[in-house]
Every structure is written in C-alpha cells, then in structure tokens.
Amino acid sequence: MGTPDFAVPTLIELIGQGHDIAAVYTQPPRPKGRGLAAEPSPVARVAETHGIPVRTPLTLKDADAQAEFAALNLDAAIVVAYGLLLPKPILAAPKFGCFNLHASLLPRWRGAAPIQRAIMAGDGETGVMVMRMEEGLDTGPVLMSERVAIGRKTYGELHDELSHLGADLMARALAALERGSIEEHPQTGEPTYAKKINKDEARIDWTKSAREIDCLIRGLSPIPGAWCEAKGERLKILYAEPVSGSGSPGLVLDDRLTIACGNGALRLLRLQRAGKSVMTAEDLRRGFSLPKGERLI
C-alpha cells in the first residue's frame, strides 16, 4: 500500500525477496503535466510492470472496500506513504497486522512531511522506522529502525537515501517477523508533528538567520523550492551555503551572489528562474546579473 516514488524501492525489494504480493493499493491516477492527463502513481507503474493487481479505492471506510481487502487473506500489509487512513477493520484484517515504513525517528515528526520538517528544523539526524500500525497517527510500536546524519543534504538527497534504506529495513523486519524473532518497542519521547508543507512557507524571509534560511532551502529542494523575488521575477533557491557577511537583509553583498540575512549571509550556488532550467551561480551571473547592491525580496 503506497503511492509516491518514496514507496517504490520497498515494493521492488519485496518483489525481489520473493514475497507473494496479493495486490497493490495506491492512489488513483492524478492529472499531471501541461496536458493534465491522468497518470498512474509511481507504485502503480511498477506493480503493472510485474503483473501485480492494482487497486485504487477512493476510501477504505466503506464496507465493500473492507470486504475486498479482507478477502485477500493476507499475512501482512506493508504501508509506505499510501495517502489514505486505514480504519480499524483494515488494520485488523491481515494475520500479523499492518506495518508502516515511516521516514523519521518516531515519535519525532509524525505525519505527512517528516523528511522536509527534519531538515527545516535543523535536526542533526533522522532515520526510518518500521512500526506496527494502530488507529492513531504514526503511534504504533516500533519493530526496527535505522539512523542517518542529515549534514547538508537536501530534501531530494535525503528522500532517496531513506527510501532505499527503508526498503532494506522493511525486508529485514519481515524476515524477522517470519522467524518469530521480532521485538516491538513503544515509542518514547515528546511527539512532534510534520504537517504538510504550506506554499506560503516556501517564500524566503531574509530577516531570518542564515542558518534558518539554509535549512529552509535544503528542506524544500528541489520540490517545491524556496523562493524569493529578484528584479521583478521569481527565483527559486535550490542550494546555498552559509558564509561570513552582513548587511541589510536581502541585499546582494558581492558579485559571488552573497546575500545578507538577518544574521550572517548565504552564498547562492544553485538556482532556477521561472520557466527555466536549474542554473549554477556561474550560469546565473552570465545570463541574469545580480549586481552588488541589488535586493532580493
């Protein structure tokens, strides 16, 4: 049960391990691209390639959907970024239960955007956890976990790392479950919630510190991209680095695209103009001059 790219490595790993996959549940095709043609989810495309039946219910709350799910006679359901809530009859149907791969160190960053929120908050580490699902939001006991340092990774980089690490972790958890050697541990610590990214959050406030803005930029890179306005047009900032410097927030301090922040400064390294390809700072300097004294807003 999964939908986006993040869930694909787990499905591929389960197929490779020889598990008997009765069906794949995923979100229905969504309009995408300039023509807004409906496209199947990344998980659906992989399932179809391997001849696995695909189901795309709009809800799992009605009796018919629950009966269809129960009729699969599952040993376990594996859930990775599916996008639908699983009501109690669904959770109770598989013999061993439903198991979720979550991209955070629970109970920190329960919810929809754990990878982005961990970076945006300046966390030093994050990870992936396999948990037995309950009716609450990411509240079940943890079976296995792996930790990784965040460092200066972007959302895109950390997303890919955790998706592959999580696939291996889920495979190991299922193997231990089959052997009967799995141990469950309750979540400990203060919960925090990873709410969906609001588009208003993506606009850069240059009055904040260089560290805060750097975390925002990396947490939203490459999608949706933190942005500001320069010379009357929108400019996405996809990567930058904190450097020494000071000045009025948003002011271009030199020809190396050093921008003053509320505390410290950032050097812009990877950017994208509206409707254009991603550019390095050198590309930008050649085709879109931001001279010293210009202001980003």
Side-chain angles (χ1 to χ4, degrees):
M1 307 179 84
T3 298
D5 289 322
F6 185 83
V8 167
T10 298
L11 176 57
I12 292 174
E13 183 69 21
L14 296 179
I15 293 169
Q17 292 285 331
H19 290 283
D20 179 11
I21 302 176
V24 159
Y25 277 68
T26 189
Q27 290 286 295
R30 305 291 189 196
K32 191 174 182 180
R34 292 185 178 180
L36 296 179
E39 291 188 10
S41 74
V43 165
R45 290 197 296 269
V46 172
E48 290 165 354
T49 298
H50 288 85
I52 302 170
V54 175
R55 297 182 179 181
T56 57
L58 294 175
T59 179
L60 293 172
K61 294 180 180 180
D62 64 72
D64 288 344
Q66 293 169 7
E68 289 178 359
F69 186 80
L72 293 171
N73 295 315
L74 302 175
D75 290 314
I78 308 306
V79 183
V80 188
Y82 176 31
L84 283 185
L85 292 175
L86 273 56
K88 190 172 182 178
I90 298 291
L91 295 172
K95 179 179 177 181
F96 295 106
C98 299
F99 301 92
N100 182 43
L101 177 68
H102 188 76
S104 80
L105 299 176
L106 294 167
R108 185 161 179 80
W109 303 126
R110 293 173 176 170
I115 302 175
Q116 297 99 317
R117 293 296 175 189
I119 298 173
M120 291 165 68
D123 291 0
E125 65 174 3
T126 186
V128 282
M129 287 184 162
V130 174
M131 52 169 286
R132 183 187 296 277
M133 297 180 71
E134 298 176 343
E135 286 189 89
L137 178 65
D138 300 328
T139 59
V142 174
L143 281 68
M144 285 187 177
S145 64
E146 289 281 359
R147 295 172 177 264
V148 299
I150 293 177
R152 294 201 43 74
K153 295 166 188 169
T154 64
Y155 163 60
E157 293 165 342
L158 193 55
H159 169 283
D160 292 351
E161 180 180 359
L162 292 178
S163 69
H164 289 92
L165 182 63
D168 177 70
L169 187 70
M170 182 61 79
R172 286 188 278 131
L174 285 181
L177 186 70
E178 289 179 312
R179 294 192 304 267
S181 60
I182 199 79
E183 292 186 10
E184 298 184 359
H185 304 279
Q187 298 180 27
T188 58
E190 188 68 25
T192 57
Y193 293 91
K195 64 181 180 178
K196 289 183 179 180
I197 303 299
N198 186 311
K199 64 180 181 179
D200 295 335
E201 295 179 84
R203 181 158 193 167
I204 297 171
D205 178 358
W206 294 105
T207 66
K208 293 186 175 181
S209 70
R211 170 177 163 74
E212 289 177 286
I213 299 172
D214 173 54
C215 290
L216 176 75
I217 289 170
R218 289 186 294 108
L220 300 181
S221 178
I223 297 172
W227 63 278
C228 61
E229 290 184 4
K231 301 174 71 173
E233 71 172 274
R234 181 176 291 206
L235 189 67
K236 282 188 180 181
I237 312 299
L238 300 177
Y239 199 75
E241 64 178 359
V243 294
S244 60
S246 62
S248 177
L251 192 69
V252 179
L253 299 178
D254 56 35
D255 63 0
R256 299 183 65 189
L257 296 182
T258 303
I259 313 300
C261 305
N263 182 12
L266 285 177
R267 180 161 295 140
L268 309 187
L269 299 176
R270 196 160 66 244
L271 315 97
Q272 186 174 24
R273 297 169 64 185
K276 305 292 184 180
S277 300
V278 175
M279 298 182 290
T280 65
E282 186 60 35
D283 294 332
L284 189 71
R285 283 196 292 272
R286 286 198 296 263
F288 184 73
S289 175
L290 281 175
K292 179 180 179 180
E294 189 73 46
R295 186 175 299 277
L296 307 185
I297 58 174

